[in-house]
């Protein structure tokens, strides 16, 4: 028991102890997808199976006692196993029906032959209250004369309660509201007997079926629904017991919206706060765009938060030029013009090891332009042994189309060499006449040598995505708004 509480306390302290917390990330599961998940779950467990071939009455030991509280049923009129007293059928045919005959006919011969469904619909009552309606179809026979299809609803209320950093599910009353019974004769007939029977059956079923369905269906349905929602709201990234280099997701708040379940998520990364550029606290994120049509779910990264995460994943890169390559040799020769100028400092540097180094100490930065994502990478081109200053190096900025992909539950960012362009930062006046040539040689090198190395590193250090029951990001599609990167799971 002590071990259990120790693990629980450690789990609660994990976001503070592990590293940097990034939020908000927003995860949405569409209402239609939740309906489908609930329907599949209920169909898989056949929650209406127990009502098939069940007599509806109070007289037989094999029946469900839903009519015991009606007057005269057990003591006065039930005389046979199926409860039918043929001596009173004539009263019905002659129109001399007594009130007790309704209970007699119900108890005597009403049997549920089959059950289909349930069909699930959801209705958002508030940001924390959801109503789940199960539309059940029951096929009944009355005295083996009339065959009916009866439609009745079961309603379950679901309330969300936020306790600490976890969202709990509280199930409200499961009930079948009276007055919403729908009965259809499957084998129509003009018989006066059938018409009178139908009127009597409708009245009695509207009283008895709510109790029957609540007694048999509600316990199983509420248990399955609670299990499904608990799994959905408690998203994780393996391993469950995380180490210092692991990522973890935590749902901090959940609410129902018109189109989806919206979960606000914190991502805890191995970063330390000092690794990232400071950002004002309590900044209100911009409005979230609507959920894409025909999507089951999505995960939205506010652009500033995604760049924070990218900064956490990134570490400084360095690539050395090969002077055996003619292009790289030309690039070295251009840069050496500055280093070979008169002066003791330049003279000492010119004696250093031949070669050039590309350094990228800062992480890439993603920018959004409408529904297009661009990525900027800044870096330095310098001789080995020189200082990382603009007087000793050429600063450059690479602009490329950003390509996102999600494979194996990880989100990957890549540069596209064919869409890249390079600009130069401040540089020595001696490069003025050679600027265009320097840019052309540098761009060729970055596309041919640097980007493959850079993209490989980014693939190996991609962002783990949360595991959510019934939802996979393996084939997710990317979309972009003015402020958000959207990872969309198509339906």
């Amino acid at each position: 028991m002590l071990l259990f509480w120790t693990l629980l306390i450690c789990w609660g302290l994990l976001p503070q102890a592990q590293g940097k917390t990034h939020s908000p990330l927003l995860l949405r599961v569409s209402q239609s997808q939740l309906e489908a998940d609930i329907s599949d779950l209920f169909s898989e467990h056949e929650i209406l199976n127990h009502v098939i071939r069940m007599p509806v009455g109070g007289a037989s030991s094999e029946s469900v006692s839903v009519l015991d509280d009606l007057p005269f049923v057990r003591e006065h009129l039930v005389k046979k196993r199926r409860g039918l007293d043929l001596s009173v059928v004539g009263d019905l045919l002659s129109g001399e029906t007594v009130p007790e005959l309704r209970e007699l006919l119900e108890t005597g011969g009403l049997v549920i032959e089959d059950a289909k469904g349930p069909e699930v619909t959801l209705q958002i009552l508030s940001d924390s209250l959801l109503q789940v309606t199960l539309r059940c179809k029951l096929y009944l026979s009355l005295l083996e004369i009339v065959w009916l299809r009866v439609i009745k609803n079961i309603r379950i209320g679901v309330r969300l309660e936020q306790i600490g950093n976890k969202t709990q599910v509280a199930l409200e009353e499961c009930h079948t509201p009276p007055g919403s019974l729908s009965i259809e004769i499957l084998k129509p007939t003009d018989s006066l007997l059938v018409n009178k029977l139908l009127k009597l059956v409708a009245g009695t079923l509207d009283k008895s079926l709510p109790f029957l369905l609540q007694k048999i269906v509600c316990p199983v349905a509420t248990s399955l629904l609670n299990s499904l929602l608990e799994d959905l709201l408690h998203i994780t990234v393996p391993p469950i017991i995380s180490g210092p280099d692991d990522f973890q997701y935590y749902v901090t708040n959940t609410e129902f919206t018109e189109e989806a379940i919206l979960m606000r998520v914190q991502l805890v990364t191995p970063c330390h706060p000092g690794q990232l550029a400071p950002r004002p606290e309590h900044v209100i994120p911009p409005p979230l765009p609507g959920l894409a049509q025909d999507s089951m779910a999505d995960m939205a990264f506010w652009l500033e938060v995604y760049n924070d995460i990218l900064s956490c994943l990134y570490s400084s890169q360095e690539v050395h030029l090969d002077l055996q390559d003619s292009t790289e040799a030309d690039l070295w020769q251009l840069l050496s013009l500055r280093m070979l100028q008169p002066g003791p400092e330049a003279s000492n540097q010119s004696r250093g090891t031949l070669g050039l180094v590309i350094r990228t100490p800062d992480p890439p930065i993603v920018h959004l332009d409408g529904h297009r994502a661009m990525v900027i990478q800044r870096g330095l081109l310098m001789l080995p042994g020189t200082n990382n200053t603009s007087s000793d190096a050429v600063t450059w900025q690479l602009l490329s189309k950003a390509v996102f992909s999600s494979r194996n539950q990880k989100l990957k960012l890549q540069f596209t060499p064919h869409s890249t362009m390079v600009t130069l930062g401040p540089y020595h006046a001696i490069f003025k006449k050679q600027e265009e040539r320097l840019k052309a040689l540098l761009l060729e090198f970055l596309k041919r040598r640097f980007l493959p190395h850079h993209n490989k590193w980014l693939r190996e250090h991609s962002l783990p995505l949360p595991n959510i029951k019934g939802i996979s990001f393996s084939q997710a599609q990317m979309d972009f708004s003015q402020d958000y990167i959207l990872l969309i799971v198509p339906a």
Side-chain angles (χ1 to χ4, degrees), residues 35-219:
E35 285 181 353
D37 288 344
I38 296 173
S39 296
D40 292 345
L41 187 65
F42 287 173
S43 297
E44 177 185 346
H45 288 81
E46 299 179 324
I47 67 169
L48 294 180
N49 190 51
H50 295 293
V51 302
I52 295 176
R53 298 292 304 173
M54 180 174 291
V56 181
S60 172
S61 61
E62 299 177 359
S63 66
V64 176
S65 300
V66 297
L67 302 178
D68 286 351
D69 58 334
L70 299 181
F72 308 111
V73 173
R74 303 193 69 175
E75 298 180 2
H76 292 269
L77 297 176
V78 177
K79 296 182 178 180
K80 298 186 178 182
R81 184 172 182 273
R82 290 180 60 86
L84 177 62
D85 185 356
L86 295 177
S87 65
V88 298
V89 175
D91 294 337
L92 177 64
L93 297 174
S94 64
E96 299 176 1
T97 305
V98 293
E100 291 84 357
L101 185 57
R102 300 184 183 185
E103 287 76 37
L104 169 67
L105 293 172
E106 272 289 340
T107 308
L110 186 61
V111 179
I112 299 177
E113 301 284 355
D114 199 359
K116 301 293 184 184
E119 300 171 3
V120 178
T121 56
L122 306 181
Q123 182 180 0
I124 306 299
L125 303 181
S126 71
D127 60 0
S128 62
L129 186 60
L130 172 70
Q131 180 175 276
V132 182
T133 300
L134 314 180
R135 188 169 184 259
C136 306
K137 296 179 183 178
L138 308 177
Y139 295 83
L140 305 98
S141 65
L142 178 60
L143 307 176
E144 298 182 356
I145 299 174
V146 182
W147 299 87
L148 306 170
R149 181 174 68 181
V150 177
I151 297 176
K152 189 67 177 172
N153 293 339
I154 302 174
R155 291 177 182 168
I156 307 173
V158 178
R159 186 177 298 278
L160 300 179
E161 298 177 351
Q162 194 66 32
I163 302 176
N165 64 350
K166 287 189 177 181
T167 303
Q168 302 293 338
V169 178
L171 295 176
E172 304 282 324
E173 180 185 6
C174 176
H175 68 286
T176 55
S180 59
L181 189 71
S182 172
I183 297 180
E184 176 185 348
I185 302 177
L186 298 180
K187 295 180 179 179
T189 176
D190 294 331
S191 167
L192 176 64
L193 170 63
V194 170
N195 291 335
K196 285 185 173 291
L197 285 176
L198 181 60
K199 183 179 294 186
L200 298 178
V201 167
T204 305
L205 283 181
D206 200 36
K207 298 176 182 178
S208 62
L209 272 185
F211 179 84
L212 171 68
L213 293 177
Q214 282 176 232
K215 179 178 179 180
I216 297 178
V217 178
C218 280

Side-chain angles (χ1 to χ4, degrees), residues 336-383:
S336 298
L337 291 176
R338 161 73 183 113
M339 302 308 165
L340 296 176
Q341 292 305 300
E345 183 178 333
S347 177
N348 289 336
Q349 291 173 345
S350 68
R351 305 300 182 186
T353 304
L354 295 180
L356 283 175
V357 178
I358 290 286
R359 286 181 182 167
T360 53
D362 300 321
I365 301 174
V366 177
H367 291 264
L368 299 180
D369 179 13
H371 287 275
R372 183 179 66 167
M374 305 297 292
V375 58
I376 293 175
Q377 178 66 64
R378 295 182 175 89
L380 300 169
L381 173 64
M382 56 191 303
L383 291 171

Side-chain angles (χ1 to χ4, degrees), residues 313-325:
L313 296 172
Y314 187 77
S315 62
S316 178
Q317 300 293 296
E318 186 174 289
V319 177
H320 292 263
L321 279 72
D322 180 8
L323 295 186
Q324 301 301 317
D325 181 279

Side-chain angles (χ1 to χ4, degrees), residues 188-290:
T189 176
D190 294 331
S191 167
L192 176 64
L193 170 63
V194 170
N195 291 335
K196 285 185 173 291
L197 285 176
L198 181 60
K199 183 179 294 186
L200 298 178
V201 167
T204 305
L205 283 181
D206 200 36
K207 298 176 182 178
S208 62
L209 272 185
F211 179 84
L212 171 68
L213 293 177
Q214 282 176 232
K215 179 178 179 180
I216 297 178
V217 178
C218 280
V220 181
T222 52
S223 176
L224 292 173
L225 185 60
N226 183 72
S227 176
L228 174 68
L229 292 174
E230 290 282 350
D231 286 342
L232 177 66
L233 298 178
H234 296 163
I235 59 178
T236 61
V237 169
I240 296 177
I241 304 300
S242 62
D245 297 326
D246 291 325
F247 293 76
Q248 286 293 322
Y249 289 89
Y250 299 88
V251 177
T252 59
N253 184 61
T254 305
E255 64 184 64
F256 297 118
T257 67
E258 292 183 359
E259 57 185 4
I261 295 181
L262 173 63
M263 290 173 271
R264 289 178 173 82
V265 180
Q266 283 186 345
L267 169 64
V268 180
T269 65
C271 293
H272 298 292
Q275 292 178 244
L276 306 174
R279 180 156 50 90
E281 295 185 1
H282 309 298
V283 176
I284 299 176
L288 182 66

